[in-house]
Amino acid sequence: MNANSITIFEKAPVPKAVLQNAIPAMAAMLMVLIYNLADTFFIAQTHNDILVAAVSLVTPVFLIFMAVGTIFGIGGTSVISRSFGEGREKYAKKVCSFCMWGCVVVGVFMSTGFLLFMDQILSLIGASVDTWEPGKTYLTIVALGGPFILISNCYSNILRAEGHPNQAMMGQVLGNLLNVLLDPLLILAFQWGIAGAAIATVIGNVAGVGYYVLYYITGQSALSIHIKDFSLKENICSGVLAIGIPASLGSLLMSISQIVVNAKMAGYGDMAVAGMGVAMKVTMMTGMVCIGFGQGVQPLLGYCVGARLWERFKKIMRFSVFFSLGLSVAMTGLCYLLRNSIIRVFLTDPSAFDCATTFTSILLTTSFLFGMFYVLINALQAMGAAVQALIINLSRQGIIYIPALFILQAVLEANGLAWAQPVADLLSTALVAALYLWTSRQRMGEKI
C-alpha cells in the first residue's frame, strides 16, 4: 500500500475518505446495473415478451457465478485490508494470488456442472415450453465463460483493499461498457436474440479480466496474482472463506430465492414472470448503488480494525450510515416516481405491464432501508465477524424470505410473492443493526 493510500485511510477527513473510496465503487455497481438492464432492454426491442420472461428466468442462475466470485472478492478484500493495517504485506500478496487461482479452479468446476445438468436446471427454475430453448441457449453460452465471470467479480473488489478504487472501477466499467455496446449489435443488428445477449455478457467479463490481469503483471500493484505466490498455508484459505462465504451467501440466496419466486410465479403465466423480473430490476437501481457504497466503505473500516483506529472507525460509520440512508431514500423516491416510464421501456404486453407496476410498488416500500443495511453488513465483514455476517445473509434471503414466500403466497397469491421481500428487508435490517451494535461493543470494549 502506497503512502497516499495510507494517508487517505488514516488521516484524510472522513467525508473525503469515504466518498473517495465509495464513489468509484458506486460507479462500478451502476455499470453492473446498466449492463444487467441492457440485456433486458435490447431483448425487449425485439417486441417479444416471451424472451423477456426467459431472461428473467435465467438471470438468477447467471448471478450464481457472480455470487461465487464475491466469495473470493469480499473475503479477500477483508483479509487484505486488515493485513495492510497490521503491516503484513507479504501475507496480503499470498491472499491475492489465492483468490485468483481459487476463481479459476472453482469456475471450471461450476461451468462443467452447469453444462452437464442444464436440462435439470431449466426444469428447476420453471422454464415453460416457450421459454425453454431461449433459456437453454443463454445459460449454455454464459456457462462457457464461468471462470472469467468469477475473476472479474473478484478483482473488482480486491483492488479497493489496497486503496485503488479508481482502478477497480475501471475494470468493471470497461467490461460492462463493452457489453452494453455489443448488445444492440449482436441482439438486433445480427439478430442473434438471446444468444447475442449472452455472448456480449461473456465478452464483457473477458475484457474486465484482461484489464485486471494486465494491471497486476505490469507491476502497478503491491499485490500479486502469480502462481508462485499461491498458498493454502497460514490460514489463507480459511480466512478468505470465513468472510467470503457469509458475504456471498446473501447473493447466492438472492439467486436461489429468485429462482423459487420465478418457479412459483410461473404458475401465474409467463407474463407474470416477465413482470416480476422487470420489477426486480427497478428495485435493483436503489440496491446496486447502496451495495457499491457499502463495498467502498469496507476497506476503510477493515484498515481501521487492523490498525485499531477505533475513533476513526466510529466517525466513518456515523457518516456512512447517515449518508447511505439519505441516498437510499432519494433513490427509492426517484424509482417510485418514474416506475411506469421505466417499465414501459421493457414491456409491451398489457398484462405484463400491469403485473410489473403492481410488483414494483410493493418492492419499493422498504428499499429506503438498503443504504443502512449494506453499510452495517459491510462493517461486520470489515471487523471479521464471520458468524454475525453469516446470520444476516442466511436470514435476509433465506430463513426469513423463503418461508415468507410460501406463507404470503397462500394469503395474497402472486402479490404475496412480491410482499415477501419487504417483510424480509424490514426484519433483516433490524437484525443487522442489533448484531452490529453487539459486535462493535465486543471489539472495542465500549459502547458506541
Side-chain angles (χ1 to χ4, degrees), residues 320-386:
S320 298
V321 167
F322 284 111
F323 185 91
S324 63
L325 181 60
L327 179 67
S328 56
V329 168
M331 287 293 298
T332 297
L334 187 64
C335 289
Y336 186 82
L337 292 173
L338 299 177
R339 67 193 187 285
N340 287 351
S341 299
I342 297 169
I343 293 167
R344 284 193 186 96
V345 171
F346 297 102
L347 296 171
T348 56
D349 185 275
S351 61
F353 179 85
D354 290 342
C355 287
T357 302
T358 300
F359 297 153
T360 300
S361 298
I362 293 170
L363 292 176
L364 288 174
T365 56
T366 52
S367 61
F368 71 94
L369 296 170
F370 288 172
M372 182 168 59
F373 176 86
Y374 286 112
V375 167
L376 292 174
I377 190 67
N378 275 279
L380 287 174
Q381 291 160 9
M383 289 187 286

Side-chain angles (χ1 to χ4, degrees), residues 83 92 104 115 160 170 237-238 291 369 371 376:
S83 297
V104 172
L115 294 171
R160 286 193 289 271
M170 284 304 299
C237 180
S238 60
I291 288 171
L369 296 170
L376 292 174

